[in-house]
mmCIF file of all heavy atoms in Angstrom:
data_model
loop_
_atom_site.group_PDB
_atom_site.id
_atom_site.type_symbol
_atom_site.label_atom_id
_atom_site.label_comp_id
_atom_site.label_asym_id
_atom_site.label_seq_id
_atom_site.Cartn_x
_atom_site.Cartn_y
_atom_site.Cartn_z
ATOM 1 N N ALA A 1 81.263 131.190 99.777
ATOM 2 C CA ALA A 1 82.203 132.085 99.114
ATOM 3 C C ALA A 1 83.657 131.667 99.340
ATOM 4 O O ALA A 1 84.523 131.943 98.514
ATOM 5 C CB ALA A 1 81.995 133.507 99.609
ATOM 6 N N ASP A 2 83.922 130.975 100.458
ATOM 7 C CA ASP A 2 85.303 130.582 100.748
ATOM 8 C C ASP A 2 85.647 129.180 100.225
ATOM 9 O O ASP A 2 86.712 128.653 100.521
ATOM 10 C CB ASP A 2 85.586 130.670 102.251
ATOM 11 C CG ASP A 2 84.694 129.753 103.076
ATOM 12 O OD1 ASP A 2 83.706 129.216 102.520
ATOM 13 O OD2 ASP A 2 84.985 129.567 104.271
ATOM 14 N N TYR A 3 84.754 128.571 99.436
ATOM 15 C CA TYR A 3 85.028 127.244 98.895
ATOM 16 C C TYR A 3 86.129 127.315 97.840
ATOM 17 O O TYR A 3 86.091 128.144 96.939
ATOM 18 C CB TYR A 3 83.763 126.638 98.260
ATOM 19 C CG TYR A 3 83.997 125.271 97.657
ATOM 20 C CD1 TYR A 3 84.170 124.167 98.468
ATOM 21 C CD2 TYR A 3 84.068 125.102 96.276
ATOM 22 C CE1 TYR A 3 84.408 122.914 97.922
ATOM 23 C CE2 TYR A 3 84.294 123.857 95.714
ATOM 24 C CZ TYR A 3 84.458 122.764 96.546
ATOM 25 O OH TYR A 3 84.693 121.525 96.005
ATOM 26 N N THR A 4 87.122 126.444 97.979
ATOM 27 C CA THR A 4 88.226 126.391 97.023
ATOM 28 C C THR A 4 88.144 125.075 96.258
ATOM 29 O O THR A 4 88.302 124.001 96.849
ATOM 30 C CB THR A 4 89.594 126.477 97.742
ATOM 31 O OG1 THR A 4 89.628 127.667 98.524
ATOM 32 C CG2 THR A 4 90.725 126.470 96.744
ATOM 33 N N PRO A 5 87.888 125.121 94.953
ATOM 34 C CA PRO A 5 87.771 123.884 94.167
ATOM 35 C C PRO A 5 89.096 123.126 94.107
ATOM 36 O O PRO A 5 90.174 123.715 94.188
ATOM 37 C CB PRO A 5 87.376 124.377 92.771
ATOM 38 C CG PRO A 5 86.904 125.775 92.962
ATOM 39 C CD PRO A 5 87.628 126.313 94.156
ATOM 40 N N ASP A 6 89.008 121.800 93.976
ATOM 41 C CA ASP A 6 90.198 120.971 93.799
ATOM 42 C C ASP A 6 90.870 121.303 92.475
ATOM 43 O O ASP A 6 90.204 121.558 91.469
ATOM 44 C CB ASP A 6 89.822 119.477 93.807
ATOM 45 C CG ASP A 6 89.580 118.951 95.216
ATOM 46 O OD1 ASP A 6 89.819 119.695 96.189
ATOM 47 O OD2 ASP A 6 89.155 117.793 95.335
ATOM 48 N N VAL A 7 92.179 121.300 92.497
ATOM 49 C CA VAL A 7 92.978 121.560 91.298
ATOM 50 C C VAL A 7 93.564 120.238 90.818
ATOM 51 O O VAL A 7 94.174 119.509 91.606
ATOM 52 C CB VAL A 7 94.115 122.559 91.607
ATOM 53 C CG1 VAL A 7 94.995 122.763 90.386
ATOM 54 C CG2 VAL A 7 93.539 123.877 92.106
ATOM 55 N N PRO A 8 93.384 119.889 89.538
ATOM 56 C CA PRO A 8 93.964 118.641 89.020
ATOM 57 C C PRO A 8 95.475 118.610 89.211
ATOM 58 O O PRO A 8 96.153 119.632 89.081
ATOM 59 C CB PRO A 8 93.597 118.664 87.532
ATOM 60 C CG PRO A 8 92.401 119.554 87.449
ATOM 61 C CD PRO A 8 92.597 120.595 88.524
ATOM 62 N N SER A 9 95.977 117.442 89.565
ATOM 63 C CA SER A 9 97.405 117.276 89.819
ATOM 64 C C SER A 9 97.803 115.866 89.403
ATOM 65 O O SER A 9 97.254 114.888 89.914
ATOM 66 C CB SER A 9 97.684 117.501 91.315
ATOM 67 O OG SER A 9 99.012 117.207 91.630
ATOM 68 N N SER A 10 98.742 115.751 88.476
ATOM 69 C CA SER A 10 99.121 114.438 87.953
ATOM 70 C C SER A 10 99.931 113.661 88.986
ATOM 71 O O SER A 10 100.603 114.230 89.843
ATOM 72 C CB SER A 10 99.921 114.582 86.656
ATOM 73 O OG SER A 10 101.115 115.280 86.913
ATOM 74 N N ARG A 11 99.850 112.332 88.876
ATOM 75 C CA ARG A 11 100.549 111.447 89.804
ATOM 76 C C ARG A 11 100.968 110.188 89.054
ATOM 77 O O ARG A 11 100.165 109.577 88.359
ATOM 78 C CB ARG A 11 99.628 111.086 90.972
ATOM 79 C CG ARG A 11 100.218 110.117 91.979
ATOM 80 C CD ARG A 11 99.283 109.926 93.171
ATOM 81 N NE ARG A 11 97.912 109.635 92.793
ATOM 82 C CZ ARG A 11 97.467 108.413 92.489
ATOM 83 N NH1 ARG A 11 98.272 107.382 92.514
ATOM 84 N NH2 ARG A 11 96.206 108.232 92.167
ATOM 85 N N ALA A 12 102.219 109.810 89.189
ATOM 86 C CA ALA A 12 102.728 108.594 88.549
ATOM 87 C C ALA A 12 102.536 107.399 89.481
ATOM 88 O O ALA A 12 102.506 107.560 90.700
ATOM 89 C CB ALA A 12 104.217 108.750 88.226
ATOM 90 N N SER A 13 102.403 106.221 88.898
ATOM 91 C CA SER A 13 102.342 105.000 89.700
ATOM 92 C C SER A 13 102.669 103.796 88.832
ATOM 93 O O SER A 13 102.188 103.687 87.702
ATOM 94 C CB SER A 13 100.956 104.811 90.320
ATOM 95 O OG SER A 13 100.926 103.628 91.100
ATOM 96 N N ASP A 14 103.495 102.916 89.364
ATOM 97 C CA ASP A 14 103.780 101.655 88.672
ATOM 98 C C ASP A 14 102.599 100.688 88.761
ATOM 99 O O ASP A 14 102.531 99.721 88.027
ATOM 100 C CB ASP A 14 105.023 100.985 89.278
ATOM 101 C CG ASP A 14 106.305 101.733 88.930
ATOM 102 O OD1 ASP A 14 106.274 102.586 88.020
ATOM 103 O OD2 ASP A 14 107.332 101.474 89.589
ATOM 104 N N ASP A 15 101.673 100.951 89.689
ATOM 105 C CA ASP A 15 100.506 100.092 89.908
ATOM 106 C C ASP A 15 99.296 100.737 89.236
ATOM 107 O O ASP A 15 98.899 101.846 89.579
ATOM 108 C CB ASP A 15 100.264 99.948 91.410
ATOM 109 C CG ASP A 15 99.221 98.899 91.748
ATOM 110 O OD1 ASP A 15 98.532 98.408 90.838
ATOM 111 O OD2 ASP A 15 99.093 98.574 92.942
ATOM 112 N N GLN A 16 98.698 100.045 88.282
ATOM 113 C CA GLN A 16 97.540 100.589 87.559
ATOM 114 C C GLN A 16 96.212 100.042 88.070
ATOM 115 O O GLN A 16 95.156 100.380 87.545
ATOM 116 C CB GLN A 16 97.681 100.295 86.067
ATOM 117 C CG GLN A 16 98.910 100.940 85.448
ATOM 118 C CD GLN A 16 98.987 100.720 83.958
ATOM 119 O OE1 GLN A 16 97.985 100.797 83.251
ATOM 120 N NE2 GLN A 16 100.186 100.436 83.466
ATOM 121 N N THR A 17 96.259 99.190 89.101
ATOM 122 C CA THR A 17 95.050 98.528 89.593
ATOM 123 C C THR A 17 94.349 99.364 90.658
ATOM 124 O O THR A 17 94.989 99.966 91.512
ATOM 125 C CB THR A 17 95.410 97.149 90.185
ATOM 126 O OG1 THR A 17 96.017 96.360 89.167
ATOM 127 C CG2 THR A 17 94.180 96.428 90.711
ATOM 128 N N LEU A 18 93.036 99.383 90.600
ATOM 129 C CA LEU A 18 92.190 100.010 91.612
ATOM 130 C C LEU A 18 91.348 98.916 92.250
ATOM 131 O O LEU A 18 90.728 98.119 91.544
ATOM 132 C CB LEU A 18 91.283 101.065 90.973
ATOM 133 C CG LEU A 18 90.241 101.728 91.887
ATOM 134 C CD1 LEU A 18 90.915 102.611 92.928
ATOM 135 C CD2 LEU A 18 89.250 102.538 91.061
ATOM 136 N N ASN A 19 91.345 98.856 93.597
ATOM 137 C CA ASN A 19 90.477 97.881 94.271
ATOM 138 C C ASN A 19 89.543 98.608 95.239
ATOM 139 O O ASN A 19 89.586 99.833 95.375
ATOM 140 C CB ASN A 19 91.298 96.783 94.962
ATOM 141 C CG ASN A 19 92.167 97.293 96.102
ATOM 142 O OD1 ASN A 19 92.034 98.428 96.557
ATOM 143 N ND2 ASN A 19 93.063 96.449 96.584
ATOM 144 N N THR A 20 88.686 97.834 95.907
ATOM 145 C CA THR A 20 87.654 98.421 96.765
ATOM 146 C C THR A 20 88.246 99.269 97.875
ATOM 147 O O THR A 20 87.785 100.389 98.142
ATOM 148 C CB THR A 20 86.782 97.305 97.382
ATOM 149 O OG1 THR A 20 86.228 96.527 96.321
ATOM 150 C CG2 THR A 20 85.663 97.881 98.222
ATOM 151 N N GLN A 21 89.283 98.780 98.514
ATOM 152 C CA GLN A 21 89.893 99.553 99.589
ATOM 153 C C GLN A 21 90.607 100.784 99.020
ATOM 154 O O GLN A 21 90.694 101.818 99.670
ATOM 155 C CB GLN A 21 90.850 98.674 100.406
ATOM 156 C CG GLN A 21 90.998 99.146 101.830
ATOM 157 C CD GLN A 21 91.077 98.028 102.843
ATOM 158 O OE1 GLN A 21 90.273 97.113 102.830
ATOM 159 N NE2 GLN A 21 92.040 98.098 103.730
ATOM 160 N N GLY A 22 91.097 100.674 97.782
ATOM 161 C CA GLY A 22 91.689 101.827 97.118
ATOM 162 C C GLY A 22 90.663 102.922 96.878
ATOM 163 O O GLY A 22 90.975 104.120 97.002
ATOM 164 N N VAL A 23 89.439 102.543 96.533
ATOM 165 C CA VAL A 23 88.366 103.526 96.357
ATOM 166 C C VAL A 23 88.131 104.280 97.665
ATOM 167 O O VAL A 23 87.911 105.501 97.665
ATOM 168 C CB VAL A 23 87.064 102.839 95.875
ATOM 169 C CG1 VAL A 23 85.888 103.802 95.914
ATOM 170 C CG2 VAL A 23 87.256 102.271 94.473
ATOM 171 N N GLN A 24 88.218 103.566 98.793
ATOM 172 C CA GLN A 24 88.041 104.222 100.089
ATOM 173 C C GLN A 24 89.169 105.222 100.368
ATOM 174 O O GLN A 24 88.932 106.278 100.956
ATOM 175 C CB GLN A 24 87.970 103.174 101.204
ATOM 176 C CG GLN A 24 86.692 102.349 101.157
ATOM 177 C CD GLN A 24 86.627 101.363 102.299
ATOM 178 O OE1 GLN A 24 87.333 100.357 102.313
ATOM 179 N NE2 GLN A 24 85.787 101.659 103.271
ATOM 180 N N ILE A 25 90.392 104.900 99.945
ATOM 181 C CA ILE A 25 91.505 105.835 100.106
ATOM 182 C C ILE A 25 91.253 107.091 99.278
ATOM 183 O O ILE A 25 91.426 108.217 99.752
ATOM 184 C CB ILE A 25 92.840 105.180 99.703
ATOM 185 C CG1 ILE A 25 93.180 104.019 100.645
ATOM 186 C CG2 ILE A 25 93.975 106.210 99.690
ATOM 187 C CD1 ILE A 25 94.329 103.150 100.165
ATOM 188 N N LEU A 26 90.829 106.899 98.026
ATOM 189 C CA LEU A 26 90.545 108.046 97.153
ATOM 190 C C LEU A 26 89.403 108.892 97.712
ATOM 191 O O LEU A 26 89.463 110.125 97.686
ATOM 192 C CB LEU A 26 90.225 107.563 95.741
ATOM 193 C CG LEU A 26 91.366 106.860 95.002
ATOM 194 C CD1 LEU A 26 90.865 106.289 93.677
ATOM 195 C CD2 LEU A 26 92.539 107.799 94.780
ATOM 196 N N ASP A 27 88.370 108.249 98.228
ATOM 197 C CA ASP A 27 87.258 108.988 98.836
ATOM 198 C C ASP A 27 87.728 109.773 100.061
ATOM 199 O O ASP A 27 87.294 110.903 100.293
ATOM 200 C CB ASP A 27 86.128 108.035 99.226
ATOM 201 C CG ASP A 27 85.355 107.502 98.028
ATOM 202 O OD1 ASP A 27 85.511 108.061 96.916
ATOM 203 O OD2 ASP A 27 84.608 106.513 98.189
ATOM 204 N N LEU A 28 88.618 109.154 100.848
ATOM 205 C CA LEU A 28 89.185 109.836 102.018
ATOM 206 C C LEU A 28 89.929 111.089 101.581
ATOM 207 O O LEU A 28 89.770 112.162 102.178
ATOM 208 C CB LEU A 28 90.132 108.884 102.763
ATOM 209 C CG LEU A 28 90.891 109.480 103.949
ATOM 210 C CD1 LEU A 28 89.952 109.693 105.130
ATOM 211 C CD2 LEU A 28 92.050 108.570 104.353
ATOM 212 N N CYS A 29 90.728 110.971 100.536
ATOM 213 C CA CYS A 29 91.478 112.121 100.030
ATOM 214 C C CYS A 29 90.538 113.219 99.541
ATOM 215 O O CYS A 29 90.744 114.410 99.835
ATOM 216 C CB CYS A 29 92.417 111.691 98.901
ATOM 217 S SG CYS A 29 93.821 110.702 99.444
ATOM 218 N N LYS A 30 89.513 112.840 98.804
ATOM 219 C CA LYS A 30 88.584 113.829 98.259
ATOM 220 C C LYS A 30 87.811 114.546 99.366
ATOM 221 O O LYS A 30 87.525 115.740 99.258
ATOM 222 C CB LYS A 30 87.615 113.161 97.290
ATOM 223 C CG LYS A 30 88.287 112.681 96.017
ATOM 224 C CD LYS A 30 87.352 111.851 95.158
ATOM 225 C CE LYS A 30 88.076 111.268 93.951
ATOM 226 N NZ LYS A 30 87.218 110.374 93.155
ATOM 227 N N SER A 31 87.474 113.824 100.428
ATOM 228 C CA SER A 31 86.673 114.442 101.487
ATOM 229 C C SER A 31 87.505 115.263 102.465
ATOM 230 O O SER A 31 86.976 116.149 103.136
ATOM 231 C CB SER A 31 85.887 113.370 102.255
ATOM 232 O OG SER A 31 86.770 112.511 102.945
ATOM 233 N N THR A 32 88.820 114.997 102.550
ATOM 234 C CA THR A 32 89.654 115.701 103.533
ATOM 235 C C THR A 32 90.644 116.678 102.907
ATOM 236 O O THR A 32 91.250 117.481 103.623
ATOM 237 C CB THR A 32 90.472 114.693 104.370
ATOM 238 O OG1 THR A 32 91.338 113.949 103.506
ATOM 239 C CG2 THR A 32 89.555 113.753 105.140
ATOM 240 N N GLY A 33 90.848 116.590 101.587
ATOM 241 C CA GLY A 33 91.819 117.457 100.929
ATOM 242 C C GLY A 33 93.243 116.927 100.973
ATOM 243 O O GLY A 33 94.161 117.588 100.501
ATOM 244 N N LEU A 34 93.446 115.725 101.542
ATOM 245 C CA LEU A 34 94.774 115.131 101.529
ATOM 246 C C LEU A 34 95.069 114.573 100.142
ATOM 247 O O LEU A 34 94.157 114.244 99.392
ATOM 248 C CB LEU A 34 94.888 114.014 102.572
ATOM 249 C CG LEU A 34 95.409 114.424 103.954
ATOM 250 C CD1 LEU A 34 94.542 115.490 104.594
ATOM 251 C CD2 LEU A 34 95.507 113.212 104.864
ATOM 252 N N ARG A 35 96.348 114.472 99.809
ATOM 253 C CA ARG A 35 96.775 113.947 98.512
ATOM 254 C C ARG A 35 97.830 112.873 98.712
ATOM 255 O O ARG A 35 98.591 112.903 99.680
ATOM 256 C CB ARG A 35 97.359 115.067 97.634
ATOM 257 C CG ARG A 35 96.370 116.173 97.311
ATOM 258 C CD ARG A 35 95.282 115.708 96.362
ATOM 259 N NE ARG A 35 94.264 116.720 96.173
ATOM 260 C CZ ARG A 35 93.071 116.691 96.756
ATOM 261 N NH1 ARG A 35 92.736 115.710 97.565
ATOM 262 N NH2 ARG A 35 92.184 117.647 96.521
ATOM 263 N N VAL A 36 97.872 111.932 97.788
ATOM 264 C CA VAL A 36 98.876 110.873 97.799
ATOM 265 C C VAL A 36 100.204 111.484 97.365
ATOM 266 O O VAL A 36 100.306 112.047 96.276
ATOM 267 C CB VAL A 36 98.471 109.726 96.845
ATOM 268 C CG1 VAL A 36 99.571 108.678 96.762
ATOM 269 C CG2 VAL A 36 97.148 109.093 97.290
ATOM 270 N N CYS A 37 101.215 111.372 98.208
ATOM 271 C CA CYS A 37 102.551 111.884 97.852
ATOM 272 C C CYS A 37 103.269 110.938 96.896
ATOM 273 O O CYS A 37 104.055 111.385 96.066
ATOM 274 C CB CYS A 37 103.393 112.070 99.106
ATOM 275 S SG CYS A 37 102.817 113.400 100.177
ATOM 276 N N ASN A 38 103.008 109.631 97.010
ATOM 277 C CA ASN A 38 103.655 108.662 96.123
ATOM 278 C C ASN A 38 103.425 109.060 94.671
ATOM 279 O O ASN A 38 102.303 109.299 94.250
ATOM 280 C CB ASN A 38 103.068 107.261 96.324
ATOM 281 C CG ASN A 38 103.079 106.776 97.748
ATOM 282 O OD1 ASN A 38 102.673 107.490 98.654
ATOM 283 N ND2 ASN A 38 103.519 105.554 97.949
ATOM 284 N N GLY A 39 104.498 109.125 93.894
ATOM 285 C CA GLY A 39 104.387 109.423 92.480
ATOM 286 C C GLY A 39 104.161 110.879 92.159
ATOM 287 O O GLY A 39 104.003 111.265 91.005
ATOM 288 N N ARG A 40 104.156 111.703 93.160
ATOM 289 C CA ARG A 40 103.865 113.117 92.947
ATOM 290 C C ARG A 40 104.964 114.015 93.505
ATOM 291 O O ARG A 40 105.197 115.090 93.004
ATOM 292 C CB ARG A 40 102.534 113.454 93.634
ATOM 293 C CG ARG A 40 101.959 114.785 93.289
ATOM 294 C CD ARG A 40 100.610 114.982 93.943
ATOM 295 N NE ARG A 40 99.540 114.612 93.047
ATOM 296 C CZ ARG A 40 98.435 113.986 93.414
ATOM 297 N NH1 ARG A 40 98.268 113.615 94.656
ATOM 298 N NH2 ARG A 40 97.500 113.707 92.546
ATOM 299 N N TYR A 41 105.631 113.541 94.521
ATOM 300 C CA TYR A 41 106.619 114.375 95.208
ATOM 301 C C TYR A 41 108.042 113.946 94.872
ATOM 302 O O TYR A 41 108.353 112.758 94.849
ATOM 303 C CB TYR A 41 106.407 114.312 96.726
ATOM 304 C CG TYR A 41 107.432 115.105 97.493
ATOM 305 C CD1 TYR A 41 107.274 116.466 97.676
ATOM 306 C CD2 TYR A 41 108.569 114.494 97.989
ATOM 307 C CE1 TYR A 41 108.230 117.207 98.347
ATOM 308 C CE2 TYR A 41 109.529 115.224 98.665
ATOM 309 C CZ TYR A 41 109.346 116.584 98.852
ATOM 310 O OH TYR A 41 110.296 117.304 99.509
ATOM 311 N N ASN A 42 108.891 114.887 94.601
ATOM 312 C CA ASN A 42 110.340 114.722 94.513
ATOM 313 C C ASN A 42 110.830 114.098 93.212
ATOM 314 O O ASN A 42 111.473 114.739 92.424
ATOM 315 C CB ASN A 42 110.855 113.918 95.724
ATOM 316 C CG ASN A 42 112.346 114.048 95.903
ATOM 317 O OD1 ASN A 42 112.954 114.961 95.364
ATOM 318 N ND2 ASN A 42 112.931 113.151 96.643
ATOM 319 N N ASN A 43 110.542 112.825 92.959
ATOM 320 C CA ASN A 43 111.026 112.201 91.724
ATOM 321 C C ASN A 43 110.119 111.052 91.333
ATOM 322 O O ASN A 43 109.286 110.597 92.098
ATOM 323 C CB ASN A 43 112.483 111.724 91.878
ATOM 324 C CG ASN A 43 112.636 110.693 92.972
ATOM 325 O OD1 ASN A 43 111.997 109.658 92.929
ATOM 326 N ND2 ASN A 43 113.469 110.964 93.954
#
């Protein structure tokens, strides 16, 4: 009952490439609830 679904949040990036270690970063974010601040915060 206390589960809170992830909310979509846009993020800008000059880098459009995804690599294997990048997939691990994304998986880390999804499993812990952390988000990439780059391209999302401030400007």
Side-chain angles (χ1 to χ4, degrees):
D2 61 348
Y3 179 73
T4 304
D6 282 353
V7 176
S9 173
S10 62
R11 177 174 49 84
S13 180
D14 289 346
D15 189 350
Q16 298 184 41
T17 300
L18 175 68
N19 65 12
T20 303
Q21 207 141 311
V23 170
Q24 290 182 287
I25 295 169
L26 296 173
D27 287 346
L28 175 73
C29 289
K30 292 172 185 176
S31 65
T32 61
L34 268 58
R35 298 290 174 257
V36 175
C37 292
N38 306 48
R40 192 176 265 141
Y41 178 83
N42 196 18
N43 61 58

